[in-house]
Amino acid sequence: LRRWARGVRRQPVRVWHHAAFRVPLAPQGAPLLDPRRGDNALTWALDEGVIREEDVAQAPEVSWADAARVHDEAYLERLDEPSVVSNILAVSEDVLPLESVLELWRRGCGAVVEGLRWTLRTQSPAVCLAGGFHHAAPDHGGGFCALNDIAIAIAVARSEGMTGRVLVLDFDAHPPDGTVACVAHDDATWVHS
C-alpha cells in the first residue's frame, strides 16, 4: 500500500474534509468508530504523498433545496428535534450534541455533492472523508444516517443535466436500504451491495 501511495499519480484527486467530520460521539454498539478517522486518513494521505495540501477542499454544507430533492420537507424539518436525531443515532438526548451532528451530516452531504460535480467536470477522482449515509430514506433516518449523501448528489447532478447510468457500489456490511428507497424512481441508477 505504501508503495502504491508513493507511485506516480495520473490524475489529480480532490479530497473534501472539514473539522465537523470529527464524529462528536461514538454510537453504542460501534466501539470501532474512531471519531477522528477522517483526520487520520487525511494525515496519512498527506504524509505519504497520496495527495497534496492543494488537493484538500473544505466541505460545504448541503443546501436545504438540494436535500429536499431526495428527502421529504416534513422529515427535514423534524431533524431539528433532539428526539428525532437521538433516535437515528440510538443515543440518549442528554448526551446528544445536536448542532455538531447536524453539521456533520450537512457537510458530509455537501462534500459528496461537490465531489460528484468535481468528477463530472474534470473526469478526475474525488474523495469525501465522511459520508456513506446509506440508511437514510426519503422520510426517515436510522443507523447513524439522516441525510442520504449519495442519493442527494445523484439528484443534484441529474438536475444539473447529468444523464446516463449510475452505479452505486456499497461495501458496508449492512444493506443500503435508504439509498435503494431514495433512488427507486431513477431507472438509470443501480445500487449494489
Side-chain angles (χ1 to χ4, degrees), residues 25-46:
L25 53 92
Q28 294 171 338
L32 300 179
L33 181 60
D34 179 353
R36 293 186 170 264
R37 65 185 181 177
D39 291 339
N40 296 340
L42 180 61
T43 299
W44 175 85
L46 289 167

Side-chain angles (χ1 to χ4, degrees), residues 139-162:
D139 61 352
H140 68 275
F144 198 68
C145 308
L147 300 171
N148 196 301
D149 52 330
I150 300 297
I152 292 170
I154 293 168
V156 169
R158 295 259 190 243
S159 76
E160 295 174 353
M162 181 186 79

